[in-house]
Amino acid sequence: MSSVLEPIPPTVLSVRRLFNADPALVRGYGGDPARHVALGLVTCDQDDAMYVALDEATKHAPVDVIFARSFYAGAAHASGRLSGEVLGVIAAADPQAIEDGLAALLRCLEHDACFYDADGQRTVTVFPHVISSLGEYLSAEAGLAPGEPMAYLVAPPLEATIALDAALKAADVRVVRITPPPTETNFACAWLTGSLDACEAAAVAYAAAVVDVATTPKR
Amino acid sequence: MSRTRTLIAALRAELGAADPLPPPPPIPAIPAPPARVYTPRPERSGYAAHAAKHTTALVGIGHVGTRYATDVVLQFQAELAVAHAAVDAELPADWAAANGFQPVHTRATDHREFLLRPDLGRRLDEASLAAVRSQCTRGADVQIIVADGLSAVACVQSGKALADAVAAACGARGLTVGTPIAARYARVWLEDEIGQETGARVAMILLGERPGLGTGDGLSAYVVYAPRIGKTDGDRNMISNIHARGVPVEEAATRLAALASAMIAQKTSGVPLDLALLGLSRERSPRPPQVRQRLVTRGAP
């Protein structure tokens, strides 16, 4: 119980810019070559922290998230030293927007979004993140308005199931999306919304429940 | 600070974790936006520099990049503020009586109405008309009227001094001067009605002029022969910029007295008046350039 719920800071593995990307490449990765000329590419060993950080970038710079995908089986089974478990691509019309967006993204990864250790040995982890104000990217993904709060909750399969029940019962929140296991990284995910206070209460209940399951897995 | 990290740290304390969390990474300082430094470029044109010596207008002020220098902008804003304050100022109601003038009012009932209705500022109200008829000397050579006009600041500052100096200068030329009158909320043409009622041969109104940039304390003097309601601006002679940095009060008083005696001698005023016969040796000499009053000083770069 000694080091439970310690933050596990995400490790940024690569950050590269493409200031004049080929239109065919932009189109292939889901962008619009008319608006997306410059790209910023980041890999990181925590996919959900990266999604939150990409959303953060859209709040600080006129950038669009054109590509963000997790890799199968997560960072522990990555295809290379720099792959991690997610590649995020932000795109903009000019390089300065990319610089501003990357700065916000890296700041969020360093100081805000991260997994937490749920059992003191980093063998069970939980991502009970509260976004107080959604950016352009996750609001579009969630079908909510930009600026609304959202709880972004991730944990391993059984832990996530028990914890989601606890979160939904702990506060006046409603489900935006439930992604049952397995996902690409074999975690389970839930997005909840409500008032900011409710989202925070739900996230805390979620984290507490994951710790509880991690401590007493058989009962 | 991350809200989520704070929440989870609180939950961690609640669950009984004793060991301290590792310190959060320091938040890097957000760099200031790059400062683009433009060097002020003084005006290098010799013509502009020469012209600037003869006017307080904004010529020869140079530039910084595509803009004015900061001190020029601040000076402009300060001068505009002086002008606004002068227009906003009101002549105190007891100023006339306290300085030995016969107080009169126009038909404008308050300052706002005075600013918006020039026509009301050109006529006396009933009480003032009766006072002028009963209290003032009739048939004087020169009737002097001090008024607030568009700058009560100027009137309070030098109205009394100018009226006294003009009266003395007129007396020195052997002209009789009527009861000095001070008018509140007054426009230039008020002198026609007052002159008509007092039967003066020349009416002279000394009033605060429309403030310009940095000049909120200037008086103007308008002089008309045989004042009657209906006289036009073509019938008047005037001297403007009567203030310390323009025409000094003593010089203005000398010229006004000369104007009044020339009007009485030629029995006309305005356009028909022959100014060459004023008999002032300095009249044709060039005026020394007006010096700009610095309201903003420029610090070391």
Side-chain angles (χ1 to χ4, degrees):
Chain A
M1 210 55 192
S2 61
S3 58
V4 72
L5 287 181
E6 242 183 48
I8 304 170
T11 306
V12 176
L13 298 166
S14 55
V15 183
R16 289 296 294 256
R17 290 111 170 127
L18 268 177
F19 285 145
N20 194 7
D22 191 281
L25 166 70
V26 172
R27 202 176 294 113
Y29 275 61
D32 171 9
R35 291 185 295 127
H36 301 139
V37 178
L39 305 182
L41 305 94
V42 184
T43 60
C44 160
D45 66 350
Q46 292 184 12
D47 61 342
D48 295 296
M50 173 69 96
Y51 295 136
V52 170
L54 288 166
D55 187 53
E56 181 77 7
T58 66
K59 295 190 238 175
H60 289 259
V63 295
D64 295 320
V65 177
I66 61 168
F67 181 90
R69 292 284 296 276
S70 302
F71 303 143
Y72 296 112
H77 306 85
S79 52
R81 176 165 61 85
L82 304 176
S83 309
E85 67 181 24
V86 63
L87 168 65
V89 181
I90 57 174
D94 66 291
Q96 187 56 51
I98 294 295
E99 292 298 336
D100 295 343
L102 284 177
L105 186 154
L106 296 176
R107 195 163 56 236
C108 179
L109 283 179
E110 187 177 4
H111 295 280
D112 193 5
C114 68
F115 273 82
Y116 295 83
D117 184 359
D119 66 349
Q121 295 154 36
R122 302 199 172 185
T123 51
V124 178
T125 57
V126 59
F127 186 81
H129 194 83
V130 178
I131 301 168
S132 54
S133 170
L134 283 172
E136 301 284 341
Y137 167 55
L138 283 182
S139 64
E141 293 284 310
L144 297 171
E148 286 195 66
M150 189 175 88
Y152 189 132
L153 310 172
V154 178
L158 182 136
E159 296 90 318
T161 313
I162 301 284
L164 177 58
D165 184 64
L168 288 170
K169 289 170 177 170
D172 182 17
V173 286
R174 63 182 175 84
V175 171
V176 176
R177 178 198 286 181
I178 293 177
T179 313
T183 59
E184 287 94 331
T185 54
N186 293 323
F187 279 73
C189 175
W191 291 351
L192 311 179
T193 190
S195 71
L196 180 58
D197 284 345
C199 288
E200 290 182 352
V204 169
Y206 189 91
V210 172
V211 171
D212 181 55
V213 174
T215 316
T216 52
K218 294 178 180 173
R219 189 167 67 198
Chain B
M1 183 58 194
S2 163
R3 181 74 189 140
T4 304
R5 290 197 185 191
T6 312
L7 285 172
I8 299 304
L11 172 64
R12 183 169 181 270
E14 204 176 291
L15 293 175
D19 60 322
L21 279 178
I27 294 179
I30 297 174
R36 286 200 266 179
V37 178
Y38 294 101
T39 314
R41 296 191 183 181
E43 179 60 55
R44 278 194 294 249
S45 152
Y47 171 76
H50 194 68
K53 285 183 188 162
H54 292 272
T55 177
T56 57
L58 292 169
V59 299
I61 53 176
H63 60 98
V64 180
T66 57
R67 297 155 298 160
Y68 299 127
T70 303
D71 66 325
V72 171
V73 175
L74 292 177
Q75 170 83 14
F76 177 82
Q77 289 172 341
E79 290 178 346
L80 195 59
V82 167
H84 283 174
V87 173
D88 276 344
E90 282 193 57
L91 190 67
D94 56 354
W95 183 84
N99 286 279
F101 292 102
Q102 169 65 40
V104 299
H105 286 93
T106 64
R107 296 186 186 180
T109 51
D110 61 35
H111 193 243
R112 181 176 164 77
E113 186 180 48
F114 163 65
L115 291 177
L116 295 177
R117 293 283 305 271
D119 54 329
L120 295 182
R122 293 170 181 155
R123 296 299 300 272
L124 293 171
D125 65 6
E126 295 297 330
S128 298
L129 188 57
V132 166
R133 283 175 177 162
S134 62
Q135 305 289 324
C136 294
T137 324
R138 289 192 55 81
D141 288 332
V142 179
Q143 175 63 52
I144 298 174
I145 306 143
V146 175
D148 49 2
L150 288 176
S151 173
V153 173
C155 179
V156 169
Q157 197 167 304
S158 48
K160 167 79 172 159
L162 182 60
D164 291 349
V166 173
C170 288
R173 286 177 174 266
L175 302 175
T176 59
V177 177
T179 312
I181 292 174
R184 199 154 180 256
Y185 299 152
R187 299 273 176 174
V188 171
W189 289 12
L190 185 69
E191 67 177 346
D192 296 344
E193 183 171 22
I194 293 178
Q196 172 181 310
E197 293 304 325
T198 58
R201 298 169 78 185
V202 169
M204 186 183 293
I205 190 166
L206 318 171
L207 78 178
E209 66 191 1
R210 186 185 304 277
L213 281 183
T215 310
D217 57 349
L219 280 172
S220 287
Y222 290 82
V223 193
V224 62
Y225 180 75
R228 296 283 178 277
I229 290 176
K231 287 275 182 177
T232 68
D233 284 341
D235 298 319
R236 288 170 228 280
N237 294 79
M238 66 90 65
I239 297 177
S240 62
N241 268 320
I242 306 175
H243 53 83
R245 303 170 310 285
V247 182
V249 163
E250 293 71 25
E251 188 184 331
T254 310
R255 286 165 62 180
L256 287 170
L259 262 180
S261 54
M263 285 176 184
I264 290 169
Q266 298 179 32
K267 294 190 176 8
T268 186
S269 63
V271 177
L273 188 71
D274 188 350
L275 293 172
L277 302 179
L278 276 188
L280 289 178
S281 58
R282 296 187 58 193
E283 190 61 34
R284 287 287 144 201
S285 64
R287 203 179 74 176
Q290 191 169 325
V291 180
R292 187 173 207 90
Q293 192 180 17
R294 297 301 301 185
L295 303 174
V296 176
T297 52
R298 186 177 181 166

